[in-house]
């Protein structure tokens, strides 16, 4: 009997969290699933842990590869998936035991191409919901509704400008996808991207579907680890962010003003992130700061005009104006003042 659900878990240096992840999947109340673990050349004991679980559970398949990155690992999982529906999980996260049951109930009740749910954010200090939990099921099928979800994928904060529910449309581990659609449209993860590869995957998928069902139930636990690289200096951050922004620009369906605003909002977020991690936290030569920030700002100049609208804040608009004028010293001063105010 073919599994109805395949869950794909790329594994890399998570030996401390991996057993919790796997056992949360094994504990599902719906049992007709397969778990694909892709050991992405992990140098710790993660690969051995995967093999040990596979020895006692025939639903688990393990693949060992050289380290090629999370996108390559997920693609390998997709190539070997047998389930009608595909979902993903990071190996340091875990799921509620009724996730698969919830997915199956939605499949039986609705004709849908995508299922989305909300999640808990777990830190060493607390577990909180991404959004207030209730049992509402919301189906979206009109062009306008799907368009709004696309905007949410491009810029996560777009919900602030609509009366729609707050929803994470940029991640992949709170969604279930139809394998038939992924194969029909040859949708894979871009192995060249080091950032936003999941966002790009969702943008491409959303442009091919007709129905989405959303539940506000929190069914996944997103684990924020201590000493994460999220706030660390990265010498390659400039090119990583630039590649991400340019690739997203190439894949958005039009230059309609709301899409352009969301895209620019995402780009200004990248500018703020770069300043925080690679300039504010590190004393680097001013000339190098100007060179790096100007290189990153080239992503903005791919958009010729800044559309009117309320998605871009006054600060965002001033940042974009300085970028258009190539006033990078003033831009760094503005970012410095902005950072001081937020301290």
């Amino acid at each position: 009997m073919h599994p109805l659900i395949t869950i794909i878990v790329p594994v890399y240096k998570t030996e401390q969290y991996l057993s919790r992840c796997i056992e949360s999947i094994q504990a599902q109340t719906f049992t007709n699933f397969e778990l694909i673990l892709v050991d992405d050349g992990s140098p710790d004991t993660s690969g051995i842990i995967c093999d040990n679980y596979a020895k006692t559970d025939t639903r688990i398949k393990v693949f060992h590869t050289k380290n090629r990155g999370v996108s390559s690992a997920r693609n390998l999982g997709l190539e070997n998936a047998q389930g009608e529906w595909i979902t993903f999980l990071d190996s340091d996260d875990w799921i509620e035991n009724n996730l698969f049951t919830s997915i199956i109930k939605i499949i039986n009740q609705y004709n849908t191409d995508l299922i989305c749910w909300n999640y808990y954010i777990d830190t060493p200090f607390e577990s909180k919901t991404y959004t207030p939990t209730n049992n509402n099921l919301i189906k979206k099928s009109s062009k306008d509704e799907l368009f709004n979800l696309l905007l949410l994928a491009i810029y996560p904060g777009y919900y602030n400008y609509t009366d729609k529910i707050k929803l994470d449309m940029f991640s992949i581990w709170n969604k279930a996808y139809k394998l038939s659609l992924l194969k029909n449209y040859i949708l894979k993860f871009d192995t060249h991207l080091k950032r936003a590869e999941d966002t790009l995957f969702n943008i491409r998928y959303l442009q091919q579907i007709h129905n989405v069902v959303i539940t506000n139930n929190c069914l996944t636990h997103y684990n924020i680890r201590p000493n994460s690289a999220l706030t660390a200096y990265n010498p390659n951050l400039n090119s990583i962010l630039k590649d991400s922004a340019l690739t997203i620009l190439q894949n958005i369906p039009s230059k309609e003003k709301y899409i352009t605003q969301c895209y620019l909002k995402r780009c200004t977020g990248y500018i703020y992130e770069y300043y925080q991690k690679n300039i504010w936290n590190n004393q680097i030569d001013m000339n190098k700061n100007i060179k790096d920030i100007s290189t990153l700002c080239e992503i903005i100049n791919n958009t010729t005009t800044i559309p009117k609208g309320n998605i871009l804040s006054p600060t965002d608009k001033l940042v974009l104006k300085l970028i258009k004028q190539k006033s990078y010293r003033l831009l760094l001063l503005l970012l410095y003042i902005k950072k001081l105010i937020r301290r």
Side-chain angles (χ1 to χ4, degrees), residues 299-315:
I299 60 177
I300 303 295
N301 290 319
N302 284 285
T303 306
T304 55
T305 59
I306 302 173
K308 294 181 179 179
N310 62 348
I311 295 175
L312 296 168
S313 70
T315 303

Side-chain angles (χ1 to χ4, degrees), residues 82-111:
Q82 299 294 316
E84 295 178 23
W85 286 83
I86 306 294
T87 187
F88 299 91
L89 188 65
D90 290 344
S91 56
D92 56 346
D93 297 339
W94 58 286
I95 54 177
E96 293 288 319
N97 68 354
N98 63 331
L99 170 58
F100 294 170
T101 296
S102 300
I103 291 173
I104 295 302
K105 284 181 179 178
I106 292 172
I107 292 170
N108 291 335
Q109 186 176 355
Y110 294 95
N111 175 27

Side-chain angles (χ1 to χ4, degrees), residues 55-74:
K55 289 176 183 177
T56 59
D57 192 335
T58 58
R59 298 171 301 181
I60 299 177
K61 298 178 183 177
V62 180
F63 296 89
H64 299 279
T65 71
K66 293 181 179 180
N67 179 238
R68 296 187 178 94
V70 65
S71 291
S72 179
R74 287 169 178 160

